[in-house]
PDB file of all heavy atoms in Angstrom:
ATOM      1  N   LEU A   7     -11.541 -15.684  12.818  1.00  0.00           N
ATOM      2  CA  LEU A   7     -10.291 -15.959  12.119  1.00  0.00           C
ATOM      3  C   LEU A   7      -9.109 -15.373  12.876  1.00  0.00           C
ATOM      4  O   LEU A   7      -8.051 -16.006  12.983  1.00  0.00           O
ATOM      5  CB  LEU A   7     -10.346 -15.403  10.703  1.00  0.00           C
ATOM      6  CG  LEU A   7      -9.122 -15.675   9.827  1.00  0.00           C
ATOM      7  CD1 LEU A   7      -8.867 -17.172   9.690  1.00  0.00           C
ATOM      8  CD2 LEU A   7      -9.292 -15.042   8.452  1.00  0.00           C
ATOM      9  N   ARG A  86       0.207  -0.286  -7.038  1.00  0.00           N
ATOM     10  CA  ARG A  86       1.532   0.246  -6.722  1.00  0.00           C
ATOM     11  C   ARG A  86       2.235   0.861  -7.925  1.00  0.00           C
ATOM     12  O   ARG A  86       3.309   1.437  -7.783  1.00  0.00           O
ATOM     13  CB  ARG A  86       2.412  -0.872  -6.136  1.00  0.00           C
ATOM     14  CG  ARG A  86       1.872  -1.458  -4.843  1.00  0.00           C
ATOM     15  CD  ARG A  86       2.785  -2.517  -4.292  1.00  0.00           C
ATOM     16  NE  ARG A  86       2.952  -3.629  -5.225  1.00  0.00           N
ATOM     17  CZ  ARG A  86       3.848  -4.596  -5.076  1.00  0.00           C
ATOM     18  NH1 ARG A  86       4.670  -4.580  -4.047  1.00  0.00           N
ATOM     19  NH2 ARG A  86       3.927  -5.585  -5.956  1.00  0.00           N
ATOM     20  N   SER A 162       8.653 -21.367  13.035  1.00  0.00           N
ATOM     21  CA  SER A 162       9.689 -20.410  13.401  1.00  0.00           C
ATOM     22  C   SER A 162       9.221 -19.537  14.567  1.00  0.00           C
ATOM     23  O   SER A 162       8.032 -19.228  14.690  1.00  0.00           O
ATOM     24  CB  SER A 162      10.023 -19.520  12.199  1.00  0.00           C
ATOM     25  OG  SER A 162      10.865 -18.462  12.565  1.00  0.00           O
ATOM     26  N   LEU A 173       4.417  11.069  16.302  1.00  0.00           N
ATOM     27  CA  LEU A 173       3.416  12.107  16.111  1.00  0.00           C
ATOM     28  C   LEU A 173       3.671  12.889  14.830  1.00  0.00           C
ATOM     29  O   LEU A 173       4.791  12.940  14.323  1.00  0.00           O
ATOM     30  CB  LEU A 173       3.406  13.048  17.313  1.00  0.00           C
ATOM     31  CG  LEU A 173       3.132  12.382  18.674  1.00  0.00           C
ATOM     32  CD1 LEU A 173       3.162  13.421  19.783  1.00  0.00           C
ATOM     33  CD2 LEU A 173       1.807  11.635  18.669  1.00  0.00           C
TER      34      LEU A 173
END
Side-chain angles (χ1 to χ4, degrees):
L7 183 58
R86 299 182 300 170
S162 171
L173 302 179

